[in-house]
Amino acid sequence: CALPISNKAAREMNHRIETMLDGRPRGLTMGTFHAICARILRREAEHLPYYTKDYVIFDTSDQQQVVKQALKDLNLDDKKFPPPKLLNGISRAKNELITAEKYQAATYIAEITHRVYGRYQEILHTNNAMDFDDLLMNSVLLFQERPDILQQYQQRYQHILVDEFQDTNTAQYALLTRLAAAHHNILVVGDSDQSIYKWRGADYRNIQRFREAYPAAQMVLLEQNYRSTQLILDAAKAVIKRNKNRV
């Protein structure tokens, strides 16, 4: 199972592999985290509460409309509580595998987010819909609640390769560790100095967590830079070296 960071990268990797091997190899799964999770959830839909296998995936525009509907249903003003801000809060919670039921509200805005999150999920369920964050969270929850199903996918994905590992979030890391638990055949490519997706819930500390979880893992350093001039490298290193927690 190979997990590149984007659909474009997945298409490029597919093309290169098929060119090298004169055809697509059997048993290879290639795609982004979201794409692979979507396949798993469609295949296992009968084991999911609220959903059937023909569920739909709501994009950002759809999500904002759902938040607006949730605010209306709760008699809350969408001018006072902007849907994008609430949606960010819901997304952060899902990336941390926090369901609406387990959401803890410590502030007033968090309490509003909690209420909207609950109604938001009800609307999604009614429409047999998931958002992109649900694809990850529901896959992890499925594996957590059904070890027998997890075991099937552990046997299917005996070797796991992940690109841009520094840009994974908590849900993605949890998915990987569960899938790799049986065979421990996992290769990740990442650089904590290049983490750029904090706004998507990415956590560069997953690299350190990986090293702690797999102390016997071999580290291969890729130290030749093919992209940047020396001036850019010098400037970047001057910033990077001040990070005391880097690998």
Side-chain angles (χ1 to χ4, degrees), residues 4-234:
I5 195 67
S6 67
N7 289 316
K8 180 179 179 181
R11 289 192 295 270
E12 177 64 21
M13 289 178 69
N14 265 315
H15 174 71
R16 293 188 186 189
I17 290 172
E18 290 176 4
T19 300
M20 290 171 62
L21 301 180
D22 195 24
R24 184 172 179 80
R26 294 178 60 186
L28 174 65
T29 299
M30 175 89 69
T32 64
F33 279 93
H34 293 89
I36 289 176
C37 284
R39 293 178 214 166
I40 291 173
L41 294 175
R42 291 200 190 281
R43 195 178 295 122
E44 308 298 338
E46 64 182 293
H47 304 296
L48 300 174
Y50 309 114
Y51 294 105
T52 61
K53 66 180 181 181
D54 58 344
Y55 70 83
V56 296
I57 301 173
F58 278 6
D59 61 18
T60 303
S61 176
D62 297 324
Q63 291 173 260
Q64 293 198 16
Q65 289 303 314
V66 175
V67 171
K68 288 181 180 179
Q69 182 61 51
L71 287 166
K72 182 178 179 181
D73 294 345
L74 295 168
N75 294 315
L76 295 169
D77 186 358
D78 62 3
K79 299 292 190 297
K80 186 176 180 181
F81 305 106
K85 183 175 181 179
L86 294 171
L87 194 56
N88 284 338
I90 293 170
S91 179
R92 284 196 301 271
K94 291 184 179 184
N95 287 333
E96 293 296 323
L97 300 176
I98 300 171
T99 62
E101 294 76 18
K102 294 181 179 180
Y103 190 96
Q104 297 290 319
T107 64
Y108 177 63
I109 189 62
E111 177 57 33
I112 297 298
T113 303
H114 179 211
R115 293 170 61 191
V116 172
Y117 186 2
R119 181 60 188 141
Y120 174 87
Q121 288 302 108
E122 290 175 356
I123 296 172
L124 289 182
H125 296 158
T126 300
N127 287 276
N128 194 29
M130 297 188 199
D131 61 24
F132 286 106
D133 297 315
D134 282 327
L135 297 175
L136 301 176
M137 184 172 73
N138 286 338
S139 295
V140 174
L141 294 178
L142 173 66
F143 289 156
Q144 184 174 296
E145 295 166 9
R146 292 294 302 269
D148 55 325
I149 295 176
L150 170 60
Q151 188 175 33
Q152 295 174 23
Y153 285 92
Q154 287 174 337
Q155 293 305 313
R156 178 176 298 196
Y157 303 143
Q158 294 188 22
H159 297 268
I160 301 171
L161 298 88
V162 188
D163 194 19
E164 304 291 3
F165 185 68
Q166 75 278 354
D167 292 325
T168 56
N169 58 35
T170 298
Q172 291 167 325
Y173 183 78
L175 185 72
L176 290 171
T177 53
R178 282 165 173 75
L179 288 173
H183 301 283
H184 299 279
N185 294 322
I186 179 168
L187 181 150
V188 303
V189 180
D191 181 356
S192 58
D193 295 332
Q194 295 188 51
S195 183
I196 61 172
Y197 286 114
K198 181 68 175 176
W199 55 276
R200 288 185 182 173
D203 191 342
Y204 70 91
R205 291 174 296 181
N206 283 347
I207 292 180
Q208 182 61 35
R209 294 183 182 117
F210 179 89
R211 297 178 72 197
E212 293 170 355
Y214 303 98
Q218 178 184 2
M219 182 185 295
V220 179
L221 299 178
L222 306 177
E223 299 180 305
Q224 179 66 47
N225 188 291
Y226 296 95
R227 295 181 178 176
S228 304
T229 64
Q230 192 61 49
L231 181 63
I232 292 173
L233 292 175
D234 291 342

